[in-house]
């Protein structure tokens, strides 16, 4: 004769089991969160350790950074967003330096859009790439100065500096037939500006089927999320790193509908 437990007994046993299981899962999740938080803090600390800010105020603002075994001195202009080194640029520099086997820059054709002060382009050049650093015309003087100062006699290939206004005269200045970029680098190019559609057009124009985009983005407003959704319509997007304490994510992207190699 079989013993059939009462409904109340079943509920009691299930509740005890569920209670224990839930707490176990919560503990595992908390431990995972703690590990991720510790890893985040560790990486951020390593990145920030690469920066040296002069203790005295100088007539021309500058900062020094340590990447690829070099001291890189960057001159900034405080009156322009594009002439300041933002954390996203440091994250991308750190990634390029610490992932040289997977993302080998030697003799690769690289373009940086929104190069700003030129730090990312300088690091890519020091890693052996053919680099084209681009930005708006009003930023090119300081960009050229920083790149020349930090790459002359130090790089395998002398980097170029070119004007690139997103979405404007792309066929004339960067004809598709001559766009053979292995990598497109971008750090903090998405923020509260009115040219997000032009930025997307520029990404698409510069990409060939095998081009890899390495893009670091700081999330500030809902507009950033909407751009990511729009970006996914044209590109296969993969999140390869996240730093929650900085609200920064690093993405890898390639064009959709690529033909098989």
């Amino acid at each position: 004769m079989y013993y059939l437990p009462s409904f109340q007994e079943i509920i009691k046993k299930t509740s005890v089991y569920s209670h224990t299981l839930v707490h176990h899962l919560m503990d595992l999740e908390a431990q995972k969160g703690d590990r991720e938080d510790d890893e985040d803090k560790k990486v951020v600390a390593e990145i920030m350790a690469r920066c040296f800010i002069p203790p005295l105020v100088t007539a021309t603002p500058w900062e020094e950074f340590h990447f690829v075994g070099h001291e890189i001195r960057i001159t900034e202009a405080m009156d322009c967003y594009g002439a300041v080194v933002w954390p996203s640029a440091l994250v991308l520099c750190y990634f390029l330096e610490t992932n040289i086997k997977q993302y080998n820059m030697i003799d690769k054709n690289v373009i940086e859009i929104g190069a700003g002060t030129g730090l990312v382009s300088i690091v890519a050049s020091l890693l052996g790439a053919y680099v084209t650093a681009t930005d708006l015309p009003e930023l090119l003087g300081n960009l050229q100065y920083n790149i020349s100062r930090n790459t002359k006699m130090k790089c395998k290939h002398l980097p170029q500096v070119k004007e690139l206004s997103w979405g404007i005269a792309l066929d004339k200045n960067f004809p598709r037939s001559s766009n053979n970029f292995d990598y497109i680098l971008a750090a903090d190019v998405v923020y509260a500006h009115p040219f997000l559609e032009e930025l997307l057009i520029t990404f698409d124009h510069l990409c060939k089927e095998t081009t890899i985009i390495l893009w670091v983005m700081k999330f500030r407003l809902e507009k950033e999320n909407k751009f990511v959704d729009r970006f996914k319509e044209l590109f296969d997007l993969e999140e390869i790193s996240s730093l929650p304490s900085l609200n920064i994510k690093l993405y890898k992207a390639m064009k959709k509908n690529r033909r098989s190699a």
Side-chain angles (χ1 to χ4, degrees):
M1 183 176 181
Y2 292 105
Y3 168 69
L4 294 177
S6 67
F7 179 73
Q8 288 80 7
E9 287 176 310
I10 294 173
I11 292 297
K12 184 178 179 181
K13 289 182 179 180
T14 304
S15 297
V16 170
Y17 175 74
S18 299
H19 180 75
T20 304
L21 179 61
V22 167
H23 275 276
H24 178 64
L25 292 175
M26 289 176 66
D27 287 343
L28 290 177
E29 191 64 29
Q31 290 172 18
K32 179 183 176 184
D34 290 341
R35 287 196 300 270
E36 291 176 350
D37 187 49
D38 289 343
E39 183 65 23
D40 174 29
K41 290 178 180 177
K42 179 182 176 182
V43 172
V44 171
E46 288 178 4
I47 292 171
M48 294 309 169
R50 306 300 185 91
C51 312
F52 172 77
I53 301 173
L56 300 176
V57 176
T58 57
T60 304
W62 63 273
E63 292 185 64
E64 189 172 278
F65 304 91
H66 300 261
F67 289 105
V68 203
H70 290 267
E71 295 180 356
I72 304 168
R73 181 173 286 201
I74 296 293
T75 300
E76 299 179 312
M78 304 307 292
D79 59 345
C80 178
Y81 286 129
V84 176
V85 177
W86 297 100
S88 293
L90 302 179
V91 171
L92 186 49
C93 290
Y94 180 80
F95 177 81
L96 292 176
E97 182 188 53
T98 55
N99 291 271
I100 54 176
K101 289 185 178 180
Q102 188 173 359
Y103 300 94
N104 187 353
M105 294 284 121
I106 296 176
D107 297 334
K108 296 298 191 296
N109 195 6
V110 174
I111 185 169
E112 183 186 5
I113 61 174
T117 62
L119 179 60
V120 172
S121 287
I122 291 165
V123 170
S125 296
L126 292 171
L127 288 169
Y130 293 96
V131 174
T132 302
T134 70
D135 216 314
L136 296 169
E138 59 267 27
L139 297 175
L140 297 187
N142 188 57
L143 176 58
Q144 181 68 70
Y145 174 78
N146 283 328
I147 285 182
S148 298
R149 174 178 185 168
N150 290 285
T151 61
K152 191 174 182 181
M153 307 298 291
K154 299 177 183 178
C155 293
K156 186 176 182 181
H157 310 291
L158 193 65
Q160 293 184 322
V161 173
K162 290 186 68 174
E163 176 186 341
L164 174 54
S165 299
W166 298 336
I168 298 176
L170 294 176
D171 289 322
K172 177 184 176 183
N173 297 328
F174 295 89
R176 286 186 185 271
S177 58
S178 61
N179 287 347
N180 294 304
F181 299 113
D182 298 297
Y183 291 96
I184 296 174
L185 306 178
D188 223 356
V189 293
V190 179
Y191 51 93
H193 62 73
F195 306 108
L196 293 179
E197 189 62 28
E198 289 82 356
L199 172 59
L200 190 61
I201 290 169
T202 302
F203 271 128
D204 183 61
H205 181 85
L206 296 174
C207 270
K208 60 179 184 177
E209 291 180 347
T210 57
T211 302
I212 295 173
I213 299 171
L214 294 175
W215 164 36
V216 181
M217 180 164 137
K218 182 176 178 67
F219 285 80
R220 302 179 180 89
L221 304 168
E222 181 60 27
K223 185 175 285 189
E224 281 92 343
N225 293 315
K226 291 180 178 178
F227 181 83
V228 171
D229 292 338
R230 181 82 176 88
F231 189 88
K232 287 179 180 177
E233 295 175 9
L234 298 178
F235 298 93
D236 291 320
L237 189 65
E238 175 188 356
E239 181 185 316
I240 53 179
S241 182
S242 178
L243 296 172
S245 64
L246 297 177
N247 238 15
I248 286 175
K249 291 186 177 183
L250 169 61
Y251 294 107
K252 171 186 174 182
M254 296 183 76
K255 266 194 171 182
K256 281 185 179 290
N257 305 317
R258 301 183 303 279
R259 290 193 298 269
S260 298

